[in-house]
Amino acid sequence: MSIKRFVSALLTGALCLGVLTACGSAQKPASWGVSADAQRYSTIFYDAFDTVTQVIAYCDSEEEFSRQMDALHADLLEYHRLYDIYNDYDGVVNVKTINDNAGVAPVQVDDKILGMLELARQMYDTTNGKLNIAMGSVLRIWHDYREAAEANTNEADNKLPEQEALDAAARHCDISNLVIDENAKTVYLSDPDMSLDVGSVGKGYAVEMAAQAAETRGLKSALISVGGNLRAIGTKPDGSQWSGGVENPWNASDVYTASSSYVSGVNMSDMALVTSGNYQRYYVVDGVRYHHLIDPDTLWPARYFDSVSVLSPDSGAADCLTTGLFCMSLEDGQKLIESLDGVEALWCTPDGEVIQSSGWAGHEKK
């Protein structure tokens, strides 16, 4: 599938001035892996994971850049279809297929689903259950109320779920009922009323796998942003690192632009930067914002933070951790991050405080 590209001065300016700060010298020693003649290219597309994907890369030719982006785009679309919980696709067995067969029969799935589910199960243990992809029954209720609110022309008509309904749904969120047979490559939900929601891991895992595949195909210098989920490959041609920004949650916009404000900028090389925030998907009832990050303990939107960002060598793990950290206290989150090698975090609290893990400053732009 060809990519609908917008390689323009406007996009280049926005990316350079905004979160994807990547303008620099086009000269690079041969030892860096990209020829001295490598040029900077950029692209954007809109059809993967219901968000905007932006990529900056240095390649030896426009043809090479186009080849790399066609492959990257195809990879992201494949993951999008595999991890979809709402739609069916001809010839595709996806997470919706697993949910549709809950309590009925095991479903044989692609390795790309198995790998993602295994990571999610590991991160359930790492976050002490705060990251739980088995919460589909609860998250579906919140999703439906949010969708109804978006359809309302009058905010006064917006409603909240009944606690009784949330409690009933929560009885079907036991991750031990997710049965994975690695040898048979099957997934089975033994509780017929259980469903998976992989929104907290799917995009991050897909970005990581797509970036690794691009590197295998020879892409050596790039910055990928899928809905603000950043993954850097290598360095810029002059040997300097790529730059990423943590958006100000108290002055957030729907798209990253030159006028977006940031609470921290970081240097990135072969790293991922992922943020979860209460400003991304929400609706308002009686003046109160109800966002999509649901605390498994309360079954209501977590109130500890306005945003949490994670810097990690792995985009999938970072995606999981931002959700888990968002739903736990600062003290518990700090203990968790300090126990993980090569992982840093930044918390933005409701009272306007910005708190960094011990090693965040080592990555921060001066």
Side-chain angles (χ1 to χ4, degrees):
M1 180 184 296
S2 62
I3 302 173
K4 183 178 180 182
R5 293 199 177 89
F6 297 84
V7 184
S8 65
L10 176 62
L11 173 61
T12 300
L15 294 180
C16 287
L17 293 172
V19 65
L20 303 182
T21 308
C23 291
S25 169
Q27 298 301 311
K28 181 175 183 178
S31 60
W32 286 103
V34 178
S35 74
D37 296 326
Q39 298 296 311
R40 180 186 184 280
Y41 301 93
S42 59
T43 188
I44 183 169
F45 43 88
Y46 300 94
D47 51 356
F49 291 97
D50 301 317
T51 190
V52 179
T53 296
Q54 299 171 306
V55 186
I56 299 170
Y58 285 88
C59 293
D60 292 336
S61 67
E62 186 171 1
E63 290 75 20
E64 169 63 12
F65 176 72
S66 294
R67 182 183 72 84
Q68 287 283 358
M69 294 303 102
D70 282 341
L72 176 68
H73 185 213
D75 283 347
L76 289 174
L77 287 178
E78 180 183 13
Y79 284 105
H80 170 89
R81 290 188 290 266
L82 287 172
Y83 299 163
D84 199 332
I85 64 172
Y86 300 111
N87 301 291
D88 296 304
Y89 303 90
D90 289 341
V92 176
V93 174
N94 61 9
V95 176
K96 182 178 185 296
T97 313
I98 297 171
N99 288 341
D100 289 345
N101 283 275
V104 178
V107 177
Q108 192 165 47
V109 299
D110 190 285
D111 285 339
K112 295 179 177 66
I113 291 180
L114 288 176
M116 179 270 295
L117 294 181
E118 287 290 4
L119 172 64
R121 196 155 62 174
Q122 293 169 14
M123 296 307 293
Y124 174 90
D125 295 331
T126 299
T127 63
N128 195 29
K130 290 295 189 175
L131 181 281
N132 184 6
I133 61 167
M135 283 188 63
S137 56
V138 171
L139 297 181
R140 170 68 79 156
I141 292 174
W142 281 104
H143 172 270
D144 290 347
Y145 273 81
R146 189 169 63 250
E147 291 265 296
E150 291 173 357
N152 288 336
T153 56
N154 187 353
E155 188 177 289
D157 294 330
N158 295 349
K159 293 180 171 53
L160 293 173
E162 296 289 338
Q163 185 66 50
E164 183 178 0
L166 294 173
D167 290 339
R171 291 195 285 271
H172 305 286
C173 299
D174 187 347
I175 201 168
S176 66
N177 290 321
L178 168 61
V179 182
I180 300 175
D181 187 329
E182 294 183 0
N183 293 325
K185 296 186 177 182
T186 61
V187 179
Y188 177 56
L189 305 183
S190 59
D191 179 348
D193 294 314
M194 175 181 171
S195 64
L196 302 178
D197 186 314
V198 298
S200 55
V201 58
K203 184 173 68 173
Y205 184 86
V207 170
E208 182 63 31
M209 294 298 102
Q212 290 185 19
E215 291 181 85
T216 299
R217 289 188 291 265
L219 188 62
K220 295 179 172 61
S221 177
L223 185 62
I224 303 166
S225 169
V226 182
N229 182 321
L230 298 179
R231 172 60 156 83
I233 296 175
T235 63
K236 292 188 281 184
D238 61 0
S240 63
Q241 294 182 300
W242 296 97
S243 299
V246 175
E247 190 173 16
N248 183 338
W250 309 293
N251 186 31
S253 60
D254 291 335
V255 294
Y256 296 96
T257 68
S259 62
S260 296
S261 62
Y262 301 94
V263 296
S264 178
V266 294
N267 295 311
M268 302 171 62
S269 176
D270 297 316
M271 295 285 283
L273 176 64
V274 180
T275 297
S276 288
N278 63 10
Y279 55 88
Q280 294 171 331
R281 292 199 300 275
Y282 65 89
Y283 72 108
V284 176
V285 179
D286 296 330
V288 178
R289 179 183 295 180
Y290 293 87
H291 58 78
H292 71 292
L293 296 159
I294 306 303
D295 187 333
D297 291 337
T298 68
L299 309 181
W300 287 76
R303 298 298 185 190
Y304 295 103
F305 309 104
D306 287 340
S307 76
V308 177
S309 300
V310 170
L311 188 63
S312 165
D314 186 283
S315 175
D319 205 2
C320 293
L321 285 169
T322 59
T323 300
L325 292 172
F326 199 94
C327 295
M328 66 178 70
S329 70
L330 177 62
E331 181 181 3
D332 288 344
Q334 288 175 316
K335 288 180 181 178
L336 172 57
I337 290 299
E338 299 303 334
S339 73
L340 301 175
D341 291 337
V343 179
E344 303 298 338
L346 181 144
W347 296 263
C348 293
T349 69
D351 60 3
E353 189 175 5
V354 178
I355 301 168
Q356 301 177 356
S357 60
S358 62
W360 183 277
H363 299 273
E364 201 162 27
K365 291 177 65 68
K366 306 304 180 185

PDB file of all heavy atoms in Angstrom, residues 6 25 70 76 134 161 196 200 203 227 256-257 270 280-281 301 312 347-348:
ATOM      1  N   PHE A   6       3.055  13.758   3.167  1.00  0.00           N
ATOM      2  CA  PHE A   6       3.087  15.209   3.159  1.00  0.00           C
ATOM      3  C   PHE A   6       4.510  15.619   3.522  1.00  0.00           C
ATOM      4  O   PHE A   6       4.824  15.897   4.666  1.00  0.00           O
ATOM      5  CB  PHE A   6       2.111  15.797   4.183  1.00  0.00           C
ATOM      6  CG  PHE A   6       0.677  15.462   3.894  1.00  0.00           C
ATOM      7  CD1 PHE A   6       0.134  14.263   4.310  1.00  0.00           C
ATOM      8  CD2 PHE A   6      -0.113  16.352   3.191  1.00  0.00           C
ATOM      9  CE1 PHE A   6      -1.186  13.949   4.038  1.00  0.00           C
ATOM     10  CE2 PHE A   6      -1.435  16.041   2.926  1.00  0.00           C
ATOM     11  CZ  PHE A   6      -1.970  14.836   3.346  1.00  0.00           C
ATOM     12  N   SER A  25      22.850  18.823  11.271  1.00  0.00           N
ATOM     13  CA  SER A  25      23.776  18.631  10.166  1.00  0.00           C
ATOM     14  C   SER A  25      23.435  17.383   9.388  1.00  0.00           C
ATOM     15  O   SER A  25      23.032  16.372   9.948  1.00  0.00           O
ATOM     16  CB  SER A  25      25.203  18.509  10.714  1.00  0.00           C
ATOM     17  OG  SER A  25      26.085  18.072   9.713  1.00  0.00           O
ATOM     18  N   ASP A  70       7.211   2.631   3.406  1.00  0.00           N
ATOM     19  CA  ASP A  70       6.162   1.705   2.960  1.00  0.00           C
ATOM     20  C   ASP A  70       6.132   0.466   3.857  1.00  0.00           C
ATOM     21  O   ASP A  70       5.058  -0.004   4.254  1.00  0.00           O
ATOM     22  CB  ASP A  70       6.389   1.292   1.503  1.00  0.00           C
ATOM     23  CG  ASP A  70       5.967   2.360   0.512  1.00  0.00           C
ATOM     24  OD1 ASP A  70       5.180   3.249   0.879  1.00  0.00           O
ATOM     25  OD2 ASP A  70       6.431   2.304  -0.645  1.00  0.00           O
ATOM     26  N   LEU A  76       2.829  -1.318  10.828  1.00  0.00           N
ATOM     27  CA  LEU A  76       1.932  -0.700  11.805  1.00  0.00           C
ATOM     28  C   LEU A  76       0.472  -1.021  11.518  1.00  0.00           C
ATOM     29  O   LEU A  76      -0.316  -1.261  12.441  1.00  0.00           O
ATOM     30  CB  LEU A  76       2.146   0.812  11.830  1.00  0.00           C
ATOM     31  CG  LEU A  76       3.456   1.296  12.449  1.00  0.00           C
ATOM     32  CD1 LEU A  76       3.610   2.807  12.281  1.00  0.00           C
ATOM     33  CD2 LEU A  76       3.541   0.926  13.928  1.00  0.00           C
ATOM     34  N   ALA A 134      -6.867  -7.706  31.185  1.00  0.00           N
ATOM     35  CA  ALA A 134      -8.087  -8.498  31.350  1.00  0.00           C
ATOM     36  C   ALA A 134      -9.263  -7.661  31.826  1.00  0.00           C
ATOM     37  O   ALA A 134     -10.348  -8.191  32.097  1.00  0.00           O
ATOM     38  CB  ALA A 134      -7.839  -9.647  32.329  1.00  0.00           C
ATOM     39  N   PRO A 161     -21.170   5.819  34.925  1.00  0.00           N
ATOM     40  CA  PRO A 161     -21.616   4.429  35.132  1.00  0.00           C
ATOM     41  C   PRO A 161     -22.101   4.225  36.574  1.00  0.00           C
ATOM     42  O   PRO A 161     -21.678   4.928  37.496  1.00  0.00           O
ATOM     43  CB  PRO A 161     -20.344   3.607  34.872  1.00  0.00           C
ATOM     44  CG  PRO A 161     -19.425   4.509  34.131  1.00  0.00           C
ATOM     45  CD  PRO A 161     -19.747   5.894  34.570  1.00  0.00           C
ATOM     46  N   LEU A 196     -10.490  -8.963  26.661  1.00  0.00           N
ATOM     47  CA  LEU A 196      -9.209  -8.274  26.707  1.00  0.00           C
ATOM     48  C   LEU A 196      -9.346  -6.870  26.135  1.00  0.00           C
ATOM     49  O   LEU A 196     -10.082  -6.642  25.175  1.00  0.00           O
ATOM     50  CB  LEU A 196      -8.155  -9.042  25.897  1.00  0.00           C
ATOM     51  CG  LEU A 196      -7.867 -10.486  26.302  1.00  0.00           C
ATOM     52  CD1 LEU A 196      -6.833 -11.090  25.357  1.00  0.00           C
ATOM     53  CD2 LEU A 196      -7.380 -10.560  27.749  1.00  0.00           C
ATOM     54  N   SER A 200      -3.451  -0.480  26.507  1.00  0.00           N
ATOM     55  CA  SER A 200      -2.346  -0.040  27.351  1.00  0.00           C
ATOM     56  C   SER A 200      -1.009  -0.636  26.936  1.00  0.00           C
ATOM     57  O   SER A 200       0.028  -0.276  27.517  1.00  0.00           O
ATOM     58  CB  SER A 200      -2.634  -0.427  28.808  1.00  0.00           C
ATOM     59  OG  SER A 200      -2.878  -1.820  28.899  1.00  0.00           O
ATOM     60  N   LYS A 203      -0.197  -0.462  21.206  1.00  0.00           N
ATOM     61  CA  LYS A 203       0.495   0.525  20.372  1.00  0.00           C
ATOM     62  C   LYS A 203       1.975   0.565  20.688  1.00  0.00           C
ATOM     63  O   LYS A 203       2.817   0.595  19.778  1.00  0.00           O
ATOM     64  CB  LYS A 203      -0.127   1.907  20.560  1.00  0.00           C
ATOM     65  CG  LYS A 203       0.471   2.973  19.653  1.00  0.00           C
ATOM     66  CD  LYS A 203      -0.272   4.296  19.746  1.00  0.00           C
ATOM     67  CE  LYS A 203      -0.076   4.951  21.096  1.00  0.00           C
ATOM     68  NZ  LYS A 203      -0.642   6.310  21.171  1.00  0.00           N
ATOM     69  N   GLY A 227       1.178   8.783  17.562  1.00  0.00           N
ATOM     70  CA  GLY A 227       0.338   9.416  18.562  1.00  0.00           C
ATOM     71  C   GLY A 227       1.121   9.938  19.753  1.00  0.00           C
ATOM     72  O   GLY A 227       0.638   9.915  20.889  1.00  0.00           O
ATOM     73  N   TYR A 256       0.664  17.734  18.279  1.00  0.00           N
ATOM     74  CA  TYR A 256       1.940  18.315  18.648  1.00  0.00           C
ATOM     75  C   TYR A 256       2.327  19.353  17.605  1.00  0.00           C
ATOM     76  O   TYR A 256       2.458  19.045  16.432  1.00  0.00           O
ATOM     77  CB  TYR A 256       3.022  17.229  18.719  1.00  0.00           C
ATOM     78  CG  TYR A 256       2.754  16.212  19.802  1.00  0.00           C
ATOM     79  CD1 TYR A 256       2.119  15.013  19.510  1.00  0.00           C
ATOM     80  CD2 TYR A 256       3.123  16.466  21.114  1.00  0.00           C
ATOM     81  CE1 TYR A 256       1.868  14.081  20.505  1.00  0.00           C
ATOM     82  CE2 TYR A 256       2.872  15.544  22.112  1.00  0.00           C
ATOM     83  CZ  TYR A 256       2.247  14.355  21.809  1.00  0.00           C
ATOM     84  OH  TYR A 256       1.991  13.439  22.786  1.00  0.00           O
ATOM     85  N   THR A 257       2.497  20.596  18.034  1.00  0.00           N
ATOM     86  CA  THR A 257       2.824  21.678  17.119  1.00  0.00           C
ATOM     87  C   THR A 257       3.966  22.498  17.691  1.00  0.00           C
ATOM     88  O   THR A 257       4.434  22.270  18.807  1.00  0.00           O
ATOM     89  CB  THR A 257       1.607  22.599  16.912  1.00  0.00           C
ATOM     90  OG1 THR A 257       1.346  23.290  18.145  1.00  0.00           O
ATOM     91  CG2 THR A 257       0.374  21.816  16.492  1.00  0.00           C
ATOM     92  N   ASP A 270      18.083   5.143  20.468  1.00  0.00           N
ATOM     93  CA  ASP A 270      17.626   3.763  20.697  1.00  0.00           C
ATOM     94  C   ASP A 270      16.834   3.670  21.998  1.00  0.00           C
ATOM     95  O   ASP A 270      16.990   2.734  22.785  1.00  0.00           O
ATOM     96  CB  ASP A 270      18.817   2.796  20.706  1.00  0.00           C
ATOM     97  CG  ASP A 270      19.533   2.765  19.370  1.00  0.00           C
ATOM     98  OD1 ASP A 270      18.848   2.728  18.332  1.00  0.00           O
ATOM     99  OD2 ASP A 270      20.778   2.806  19.352  1.00  0.00           O
ATOM    100  N   GLN A 280      -5.993  13.112  27.381  1.00  0.00           N
ATOM    101  CA  GLN A 280      -5.982  12.479  26.064  1.00  0.00           C
ATOM    102  C   GLN A 280      -7.354  11.957  25.642  1.00  0.00           C
ATOM    103  O   GLN A 280      -7.809  12.221  24.547  1.00  0.00           O
ATOM    104  CB  GLN A 280      -4.928  11.353  26.058  1.00  0.00           C
ATOM    105  CG  GLN A 280      -3.509  11.898  26.204  1.00  0.00           C
ATOM    106  CD  GLN A 280      -2.479  10.799  26.420  1.00  0.00           C
ATOM    107  OE1 GLN A 280      -2.771   9.741  26.971  1.00  0.00           O
ATOM    108  NE2 GLN A 280      -1.252  11.048  26.001  1.00  0.00           N
ATOM    109  N   ARG A 281      -8.017  11.196  26.482  1.00  0.00           N
ATOM    110  CA  ARG A 281      -9.363  10.687  26.171  1.00  0.00           C
ATOM    111  C   ARG A 281     -10.207  10.819  27.435  1.00  0.00           C
ATOM    112  O   ARG A 281      -9.963  10.129  28.420  1.00  0.00           O
ATOM    113  CB  ARG A 281      -9.311   9.223  25.706  1.00  0.00           C
ATOM    114  CG  ARG A 281      -8.636   9.035  24.355  1.00  0.00           C
ATOM    115  CD  ARG A 281      -9.005   7.685  23.708  1.00  0.00           C
ATOM    116  NE  ARG A 281      -8.618   6.558  24.534  1.00  0.00           N
ATOM    117  CZ  ARG A 281      -7.417   6.012  24.530  1.00  0.00           C
ATOM    118  NH1 ARG A 281      -6.462   6.524  23.783  1.00  0.00           N
ATOM    119  NH2 ARG A 281      -7.135   4.960  25.284  1.00  0.00           N
ATOM    120  N   PRO A 301     -11.574   6.417  37.158  1.00  0.00           N
ATOM    121  CA  PRO A 301     -10.350   7.049  36.667  1.00  0.00           C
ATOM    122  C   PRO A 301      -9.383   7.376  37.805  1.00  0.00           C
ATOM    123  O   PRO A 301      -9.787   7.929  38.837  1.00  0.00           O
ATOM    124  CB  PRO A 301     -10.863   8.327  35.991  1.00  0.00           C
ATOM    125  CG  PRO A 301     -12.249   7.975  35.525  1.00  0.00           C
ATOM    126  CD  PRO A 301     -12.789   7.089  36.619  1.00  0.00           C
ATOM    127  N   SER A 312      12.469   4.507  28.247  1.00  0.00           N
ATOM    128  CA  SER A 312      12.896   3.116  28.347  1.00  0.00           C
ATOM    129  C   SER A 312      13.477   2.651  27.023  1.00  0.00           C
ATOM    130  O   SER A 312      13.123   3.178  25.964  1.00  0.00           O
ATOM    131  CB  SER A 312      11.689   2.232  28.721  1.00  0.00           C
ATOM    132  OG  SER A 312      11.950   0.861  28.514  1.00  0.00           O
ATOM    133  N   TRP A 347       6.640  12.349  36.655  1.00  0.00           N
ATOM    134  CA  TRP A 347       5.251  12.444  37.087  1.00  0.00           C
ATOM    135  C   TRP A 347       4.825  13.908  37.148  1.00  0.00           C
ATOM    136  O   TRP A 347       5.551  14.752  37.708  1.00  0.00           O
ATOM    137  CB  TRP A 347       5.077  11.845  38.479  1.00  0.00           C
ATOM    138  CG  TRP A 347       5.343  10.385  38.619  1.00  0.00           C
ATOM    139  CD1 TRP A 347       4.430   9.367  38.609  1.00  0.00           C
ATOM    140  CD2 TRP A 347       6.620   9.746  38.851  1.00  0.00           C
ATOM    141  NE1 TRP A 347       5.044   8.147  38.806  1.00  0.00           N
ATOM    142  CE2 TRP A 347       6.385   8.348  38.949  1.00  0.00           C
ATOM    143  CE3 TRP A 347       7.927  10.208  38.965  1.00  0.00           C
ATOM    144  CZ2 TRP A 347       7.411   7.432  39.178  1.00  0.00           C
ATOM    145  CZ3 TRP A 347       8.957   9.302  39.175  1.00  0.00           C
ATOM    146  CH2 TRP A 347       8.695   7.928  39.280  1.00  0.00           C
ATOM    147  N   CYS A 348       3.652  14.234  36.612  1.00  0.00           N
ATOM    148  CA  CYS A 348       3.055  15.561  36.731  1.00  0.00           C
ATOM    149  C   CYS A 348       1.824  15.430  37.625  1.00  0.00           C
ATOM    150  O   CYS A 348       0.874  14.727  37.275  1.00  0.00           O
ATOM    151  CB  CYS A 348       2.661  16.109  35.364  1.00  0.00           C
ATOM    152  SG  CYS A 348       4.074  16.471  34.277  1.00  0.00           S
TER     153      CYS A 348
END
